[in-house]
Amino acid sequence: MKLILNGEPRHLAGPASVAELLAQMGIDRAKVAVERNLEIVPKSAYDATVLDEGDKIEVVAFIGGGCDDAAGEDPLVVAGRRFSSRLLVGTGKYKDFEETARAIEASGAEIVTVAVRRVNLTDPTQPMLVDYVSPKKYTFLPNTAGCYTAEEAVRTLRLAREAGGWNLVKLEVLGDQTTLYPNMPETLRAAEALIKDGFEVMVYCSDDPIQARMLADLGCVAIMPLGSLIGSGLGILNPTTIQIIKASVSVPVLVDAGVGAASDAAVAMELGCDGVLLNTAIAHARDPIAMARAMKHAVIAGRLSFQAGRMPRKSYADPSSPTTGLIGK
């Protein structure tokens, strides 16, 4: 029997169920999701689902795509869930899963984004992200990195939900490979479909207050405008529009993309944002573990600075010492 398995022809020596197929390949059924002819196969149906000649099968898994005492008194609340840390981190671009796990631990983050990709059928025994970063310890946030249409994004997140059972997801639909800027019409279309399907959608978007408000009105649980281009490290390019977005919606606003240094994360929080999501700034630092710690403290400091209220800006000097009682006067 001939199948198309993860895009490649594969011959089986006779009829087989999904469960038998996974067993033949040495794949742990608990760690993957399976799609048959564009329809998700529930884990409970693996044994009963018999494959037919010409079936197109996709087997996917998650890949690598701060908290202190004071933070516990000021939680980040997303879709009714409470988190001590306002720093969210990605799991991609590290040299290996061990470094990924160490950096996440140092960051204090409780939410980590994960991408959904095909399982390596050539060597299914290769380690997976879940072997190093446990979904029992961290909240996995499946995302749609690499999707360029609403259909691709919706299909990806439905597979992610089957693989791990999570409804809280991060949606991003990209416009092109050069800028990785969001395609907002497709983003809005995907968000509407996902929300109707019961997902709780955190959404990456342009720093456009009108588009952000439209996404919030659709029912997205968090708005995530870019600070600057993904992976650029350029920092917050349009702080005014970020502040307008924060004032325009009632759901959490988190800066997503462009943070390059701890100072950028602090600026985002001082603007009043509810959190920061970043990946490259830690993974591509000379010392990722040290940078993860720096980002943890920057987010905390920026939040405290915002709550404290900065001094007014002035266009002239104002001495901090009293001018009365000076010696010689």
Side-chain angles (χ1 to χ4, degrees):
M1 182 171 61
K2 183 178 179 180
L3 304 174
I4 302 298
L5 186 58
N6 281 6
E8 301 290 337
R10 177 67 66 104
H11 291 274
L12 297 181
S17 66
V18 169
E20 290 167 337
L21 174 65
L22 295 177
Q24 286 180 33
M25 294 186 296
I27 295 174
D28 185 345
R29 60 190 286 172
K31 295 180 179 179
V32 300
V34 177
E35 184 184 72
R36 177 193 184 201
N37 301 328
L38 301 182
E39 294 289 335
I40 291 174
V41 181
K43 292 183 187 295
S44 59
Y46 284 1
D47 293 297
T49 302
V50 178
L51 302 175
D52 294 324
E53 179 79 21
D55 276 353
K56 293 182 179 180
I57 307 298
E58 294 285 343
V59 183
V60 305
F62 294 123
I63 67 167
C67 167
D68 72 348
D69 293 339
E73 302 168 4
D74 179 35
L76 168 65
V77 181
V78 180
R81 298 169 173 83
R82 297 165 64 90
F83 301 95
S84 296
S85 175
R86 292 177 178 270
L87 176 62
L88 289 67
V89 296
T91 50
K93 301 185 177 182
Y94 293 93
K95 67 179 182 181
D96 53 38
F97 285 142
E98 183 178 349
E99 184 179 73
T100 304
R102 291 175 60 213
I104 294 172
E105 181 73 25
S107 76
E110 297 165 277
I111 303 176
V112 297
T113 61
V114 292
V116 180
R117 294 292 185 270
R118 286 171 169 169
V119 168
N120 184 341
L121 301 179
T122 304
D123 184 7
T125 63
Q126 282 192 345
M128 295 184 181
L129 178 68
V130 294
D131 298 322
Y132 291 82
V133 181
S134 172
K136 295 179 180 180
K137 181 176 181 180
Y138 299 100
T139 295
F140 274 26
L141 187 66
N143 68 19
T144 56
C147 291
Y148 290 85
T149 68
E151 287 77 13
E152 289 176 356
V154 171
R155 181 184 174 195
T156 295
L157 290 177
R158 285 174 176 163
L159 275 167
R161 181 164 61 183
E162 178 61 26
W166 299 287
N167 280 330
L168 184 66
V169 296
K170 181 197 167 189
L171 169 66
E172 59 181 72
V173 185
L174 304 176
D176 61 54
Q177 294 183 350
T178 302
T179 67
L180 301 182
Y181 215 75
N183 180 327
M184 291 311 300
E186 291 293 288
T187 298
L188 285 157
R189 198 157 65 88
E192 184 174 17
L194 289 166
I195 291 166
K196 287 181 179 177
D197 202 15
F199 285 93
E200 296 166 321
V201 179
M202 302 174 69
V203 57
Y204 166 68
C205 62
S206 60
D207 55 348
D208 180 337
I210 305 303
Q211 299 280 356
R213 191 162 63 242
M214 292 172 68
L215 288 165
D217 290 344
L218 275 177
C220 292
V221 299
I223 306 300
M224 307 176 76
L226 54 83
S228 54
L229 302 181
I230 290 175
S232 69
L234 291 173
I236 314 299
L237 296 184
N238 297 306
T240 300
T241 55
I242 298 293
Q243 286 182 306
I244 294 172
I245 289 172
K246 176 58 183 171
S248 300
V249 302
S250 59
V251 296
V253 173
L254 300 89
V255 163
D256 180 8
V259 169
S263 56
D264 298 329
V267 167
M269 298 305 297
E270 287 177 334
L271 292 173
C273 292
D274 298 281
V276 175
L277 171 60
L278 55 88
N279 184 181
T280 309
I282 294 177
H284 281 187
R286 187 172 63 251
D287 184 339
I289 312 307
M291 184 60 78
R293 295 191 193 99
M295 291 297 181
K296 169 184 176 178
H297 293 295
V299 167
I300 293 171
R303 177 66 176 176
L304 291 173
S305 177
F306 170 73
Q307 291 175 320
R310 64 159 291 136
M311 61 169 286
R313 287 184 170 88
K314 300 177 181 178
S315 57
Y316 51 87
D318 184 10
S320 56
S321 299
T323 57
T324 58
L326 286 172
I327 298 173
K329 289 191 178 181

